[in-house]
Amino acid sequence: MTGAPAATMRAPLVMTLGEPAGVGPEIIHKAWAALRNDPEMAFVVIGDSEALAAAGPSPLASIQDPAEARGRFGHALPVLDRPAPASVTPGRPDAANAVAVADWIEQAVNLALTGEAAGLVTAPIAKAPLYAAGFRFPGHTEFIAELTADMPYSGSRGPVMMLTARDLRACLVTIHVSLDEVPELVTDARIRRTARVVHECLNRDFGIARPRLAMAALNPHAGEGGALGLQEIEILKPAAEALRAEGIQITDPLPADTLFHDEARRAYDAAICMYHDQALIPVKTLDFWGGVNATLGLPIIRTSPDHGTGFDIAGKGVARPDSLIAAVRLAATMADARHAAS
């Protein structure tokens, strides 16, 4: 799209500052420095400009409208300044700023919903200060899902978490639950909903005409014919059969220990994983620094780096921006696909 007339170009991305005492401000500077020469990666940061300015050397451009971001992006880091109430000290989160952190997310979601931003990239947040301030959501994903719940959406509703690294897309049926809860939560309804959301997203946001999904088994050796568990026989395989009847190309449950090597990954476009570590271990093994978290099944595009706030290294100038850069690139790719289809 580079060089296209302005009228045909999609909106820029919006990025939240996240927890201002974490590594977010620093890696935002580094991501801008890496991407500034590509106008298709243009983003505007929403958050406290003073905290952002203190975290790095990039020149900042205070703007009032996200549409200004494209014209400024090559020369300065565009910012929608929304001050935090308390001063920011790297490595020392303050619950007094938690309301502002949540407000930045809500305002960014609204920009994406109105089309003023083509997608949302979220820098890491810290749960403890948010919870101390009364935040009632487990994290970004659930909060953004609620903020977008009343908006029209033609696809299957999520949220579904997808982790990406290199050529792997791993999508979760269950997320942050203990292992002893997983068997009860791996239900026909959850599997089918997850697969529908992923199938639609691959088609709409990645341009894959006929997505190929691989289903990871829950038990070792895919249950070994029932000797190591019955879920594959009673739940997973029937769910796969029902999905194929809907026109979704998906495998029967496959042993997870042979699903993620190089040759195996060439056979599918996304893996449907039953629990957190089943997806996260291969993703982080393939690309520990560059993995990305994307939320599927929402009326907006949302990606984030696959790491936390890094309070132990905040303010030291050593945080790596790889994952945030990859998150911007993924959001731009998805936004371009949606824009082209609109």
Side-chain angles (χ1 to χ4, degrees):
M1 287 173 54
T2 302
T8 69
M9 298 179 78
R10 62 163 172 80
L13 303 171
V14 62
M15 181 183 294
T16 54
L17 186 63
E19 169 53 59
V23 297
E26 177 187 334
I27 61 176
I28 288 172
H29 279 276
K30 292 176 177 178
W32 174 78
L35 299 170
R36 57 177 293 189
N37 292 323
D38 187 347
E40 295 307 302
M41 300 299 121
F43 61 82
V44 55
V45 180
I46 186 165
D48 187 306
S49 62
E50 184 175 331
L52 185 59
S58 310
L60 306 186
S62 180
I63 63 175
Q64 302 302 314
D65 186 329
E68 300 174 51
R70 276 190 177 273
R72 308 295 293 276
F73 191 71
H75 309 286
L77 176 53
V79 184
L80 292 166
D81 184 26
R82 303 292 186 270
S87 62
V88 175
T89 302
R92 297 176 60 184
D94 190 333
N97 289 329
V99 172
V101 171
D103 283 346
W104 299 336
I105 298 168
E106 185 167 359
Q107 292 174 49
V109 167
N110 288 336
L111 291 173
L113 287 171
T114 61
E116 295 171 86
L120 167 63
V121 182
T122 56
I125 56 175
K127 309 293 180 57
L130 284 167
Y131 295 158
F135 189 74
R136 59 184 180 83
F137 301 93
H140 265 125
T141 300
E142 296 82 3
F143 185 37
I144 295 171
E146 176 153 311
L147 291 173
T148 59
D150 294 332
M151 296 301 297
Y153 181 60
S154 60
S156 298
R157 282 273 179 179
V160 168
M161 182 182 288
M162 178 175 77
L163 290 306
T164 69
R166 287 172 42 188
D167 60 344
L168 173 61
R169 304 180 186 98
C171 307
L172 291 165
V173 173
T174 68
I175 306 177
H176 296 120
V177 297
S178 63
L179 275 177
D180 61 358
E181 294 179 84
V182 169
E184 294 298 318
L185 295 175
V186 173
T187 63
D188 175 84
R190 285 177 181 268
I191 293 169
R192 291 170 68 174
R193 178 183 66 86
T194 302
R196 290 187 194 110
V197 169
V198 174
H199 173 86
E200 292 170 10
C201 174
L202 291 175
N203 181 259
R204 179 187 61 239
D205 297 335
F206 290 87
I208 301 174
R210 184 162 169 74
R212 303 164 301 160
L213 306 183
M215 180 186 292
L218 175 65
N219 295 300
H221 302 180
E224 197 74 71
L228 298 178
L230 297 173
Q231 285 88 356
E232 284 72 23
I233 295 171
E234 295 178 349
I235 300 171
L236 276 67
K237 186 174 180 180
E241 291 169 348
L243 287 163
R244 288 194 290 269
E246 296 176 18
I248 294 175
Q249 187 175 344
I250 189 169
T251 68
D252 285 338
L254 301 172
D257 63 349
T258 59
L259 191 57
F260 300 108
H261 62 84
D262 290 349
E263 184 178 348
R265 295 197 308 277
R266 289 195 285 271
Y268 59 83
D269 300 300
I272 306 299
C273 300
M274 298 301 127
Y275 58 94
H276 184 274
D277 285 10
Q278 192 177 65
L280 271 291
I281 289 173
V283 165
K284 293 192 175 186
T285 300
L286 278 174
D287 189 353
F288 182 79
W289 297 108
V292 177
N293 174 10
T295 306
L296 313 183
L298 301 178
I300 67 170
I301 290 165
R302 181 258 171 158
T303 66
S304 71
D306 185 26
H307 61 71
T309 51
F311 289 131
D312 58 325
I313 59 171
K316 298 180 180 178
V318 298
R320 292 183 55 155
D322 311 45
S323 187
L324 183 61
I325 292 169
V328 174
R329 292 191 183 281
L330 180 60
T333 295
M334 297 171 72
D336 286 341
R338 286 200 187 184
H339 181 72
S342 64

